[in-house]
Amino acid sequence: MFSFQSKKIYLFMFLGIQLVVIALFSREAYKKSVTYFIHILRKDNASIPTGRNQTSTAVVANGGDVYANLSRLSKAHSQGENLTYCPKTSPLIVGRINVRIHSNFTMQELQRKNPLVVRGGRYRPPDCEARHRTAIIIPYRDREHHLKVLLYFLHPFLQRQQLNYGFYVIHQAGNYTYNKAKLMNVGFREAMKDEDWDCLFFHDVDLIPEDNRNTYVCDANPKHVSVAIDKFGYELPYNQVFGGVTALSPLHYLKMNGFPNNYWGWGGEDDDIGDRVSLAGMSISRPSLKVGRYKMIKHKLDKGNNANTKRFNLLRKTRQTWKQDGMNTVESRVISREYHPLYTNITVDVGTKAGLPPPPPPPKAATMADQIQHHG
């Protein structure tokens, strides 16, 4: 027979074991409840229509819509007020964004999504004074689909960075072989006529940025921005590459004598430009591979932009030619300058390998005899 003292001890042991079991079950139930709650939250966040009161943390976690929360900026610019400078780091930057390539929207719909962008593709923050003024230069010909997609993503991308910016599409006229670098020289000259930009981004039309921390401002040295493109497995192809998306201050551009004018067709000009950076006594800066990510819009090689078979011969001569061929020798003729709601289109004749043809003669003034004949 158990004594009363023994029974008391066993009773306490039994109660203790029960309490431990209850605690364990409670802990598991608690963990399941928390897990379920988090799952519900994530599910709800994923189902929130993009662009409507989504929090920045949700956008970062899920790779969200680049337009999310920008609607709160949709108000008129302050008139007659002394605005304070924008923060050094914009509170609107959200990190990774979701880039799904599509074009099932009209330019009018895109314009409505960007109500603060004014004629010619110009924007400035409505509630603070921008710290940086950036011009986006896009060399272009016959890539309407790509331009539409780039404008869709890049306008809100830049608004999140609280920049004063403008878009310039430099359109090569005619059907002669494409010359990207010469178009970029023209873009620099034409953009600087409009405003004293402190940074110019030279931007391929088929590259879409994937991380909003990739700030479109200049560094102390020329900046190669598109360092991690999906086409190349989000790795830098080789160290001296300087193409895709690049950033130069006006001083950088002048020091390296701009870009070469003699690369007709695809290939070579980007490496020439990279060599110019070094020859001008500068180095290339880059964002991290994690931040400088881009998605390339798939496309076939453009008509009139066949591979440049002379590019390697030209590259061997860069050390001798960079001071004689560049911004100081570019020949072009602006045919038209059109201010669209989301960008400025500058159509330009860059000539041929033989040079720029003479301008067409001005219209002949009507003589008195012509007027009499016309009215007769």
Side-chain angles (χ1 to χ4, degrees):
M1 294 290 296
F2 292 112
S3 67
F4 176 77
Q5 190 69 24
S6 298
K7 289 181 179 179
K8 191 175 180 181
I9 292 171
Y10 281 116
L11 179 62
F12 275 116
M13 287 177 62
F14 178 74
L15 290 173
I17 292 170
Q18 278 191 320
L19 286 172
V20 169
V21 171
I22 291 169
L24 286 173
F25 275 111
S26 298
R27 185 182 174 192
E28 289 302 312
Y30 172 75
K31 286 171 66 178
K32 288 180 181 179
S33 298
V34 170
T35 303
Y36 179 74
F37 181 70
I38 291 173
H39 174 74
I40 292 296
L41 276 180
R42 286 178 176 170
K43 185 176 180 182
D44 287 345
N45 277 338
S47 65
I48 293 174
T50 54
R52 294 186 182 180
N53 300 323
Q54 239 175 314
T55 63
S56 296
T57 51
V59 173
V60 174
N62 299 321
D65 182 2
V66 70
Y67 283 94
N69 285 337
L70 282 184
S71 58
R72 66 178 179 172
L73 296 179
S74 299
K75 59 180 181 179
H77 287 89
S78 302
Q79 299 294 330
E81 294 183 13
N82 293 323
L83 297 176
T84 58
Y85 277 107
C86 298
K88 289 185 178 180
T89 301
S90 170
L92 300 172
I93 290 177
V94 295
R96 191 70 57 83
I97 59 174
N98 184 18
V99 176
R100 287 180 290 184
I101 306 300
H102 68 91
S103 59
N104 56 341
F105 56 88
T106 66
M107 291 298 279
Q108 290 73 26
E109 289 171 334
L110 182 53
Q111 187 180 347
R112 287 194 294 271
K113 289 180 76 70
N114 293 276
L116 297 183
V117 176
V118 298
R119 180 175 177 265
R122 300 290 295 272
Y123 173 89
R124 58 187 176 91
D127 51 0
C128 59
E129 186 71 28
R131 290 178 177 271
H132 304 280
R133 299 184 306 277
T134 299
I136 310 297
I137 311 295
I138 305 170
Y140 174 87
R141 185 169 67 181
D142 298 333
R143 302 279 285 275
E144 184 178 358
H145 165 68
H146 295 169
L147 178 61
K148 188 177 169 184
V149 174
L150 179 63
L151 292 172
Y152 178 92
F153 284 102
L154 202 50
H155 268 297
F157 184 93
L158 299 176
Q159 289 166 35
R160 288 192 173 281
Q161 298 181 2
Q162 295 183 313
L163 302 177
N164 177 346
Y165 70 81
F167 273 84
Y168 295 88
V169 175
I170 314 301
H171 180 198
Q172 180 173 330
N175 298 316
Y176 194 74
T177 307
Y178 190 64
N179 191 323
K180 172 186 165 183
K182 198 170 187 180
L183 291 173
M184 295 194 300
N185 275 329
V186 175
F188 174 87
R189 182 184 65 199
E190 294 300 316
M192 293 304 292
K193 288 179 181 179
D194 280 353
E195 185 164 334
D196 186 19
W197 301 105
D198 52 38
C199 187
L200 298 101
F201 266 65
F202 299 90
H203 209 297
D204 281 4
V205 73
D206 57 0
L207 289 178
I208 312 299
E210 296 185 65
D211 197 303
N212 201 226
R213 294 167 294 184
N214 187 5
T215 51
Y216 274 42
V217 299
C218 280
D219 287 351
N221 283 296
K223 181 163 67 170
H224 176 222
V225 187
S226 56
V227 296
I229 302 174
D230 63 342
K231 179 181 178 180
F232 305 115
Y234 292 109
E235 296 288 341
L236 190 69
Y238 51 95
N239 193 52
Q240 196 59 18
V241 64
F242 196 78
V245 181
T246 58
L248 300 172
S249 71
L251 180 60
H252 296 152
Y253 179 86
L254 295 173
K255 283 183 71 174
M256 57 194 282
N257 192 24
F259 308 126
N261 298 302
N262 54 354
Y263 284 82
W264 297 90
W266 179 87
E269 72 281 350
D270 293 342
D271 295 323
D272 187 298
I273 296 166
D275 289 342
R276 285 170 180 253
V277 172
S278 300
L279 292 167
M282 300 180 287
S283 59
I284 298 173
S285 71
R286 292 187 171 99
S288 69
L289 294 176
K290 181 180 179 181
V291 169
R293 292 168 59 95
Y294 284 78
K295 185 166 287 188
M296 180 179 284
I297 307 173
K298 295 178 181 179
H299 62 93
K300 297 178 181 178
L301 196 64
D302 302 322
K303 187 177 181 180
N305 192 27
N306 295 326
N308 182 356
T309 56
K310 298 181 178 180
R311 63 187 184 277
F312 299 112
N313 291 332
L314 291 169
L315 280 169
R316 281 193 287 267
K317 300 175 183 176
T318 302
R319 185 174 292 274
Q320 291 76 42
T321 60
W322 74 279
K323 290 185 179 180
Q324 287 76 43
D325 174 43
M327 58 154 284
N328 57 347
T329 57
V330 61
E331 292 183 316
S332 64
R333 184 179 301 112
V334 172
I335 297 173
S336 66
R337 189 183 183 101
E338 302 167 302
Y339 297 95
H340 295 272
L342 297 174
Y343 63 96
T344 297
N345 184 85
I346 300 172
T347 302
V348 59
D349 181 358
V350 294
T352 66
K353 293 178 184 178
L356 193 68
K364 184 179 178 182
T367 64
M368 183 64 73
D370 292 331
Q371 293 179 21
I372 294 171
Q373 185 177 5
H374 175 73
H375 289 291

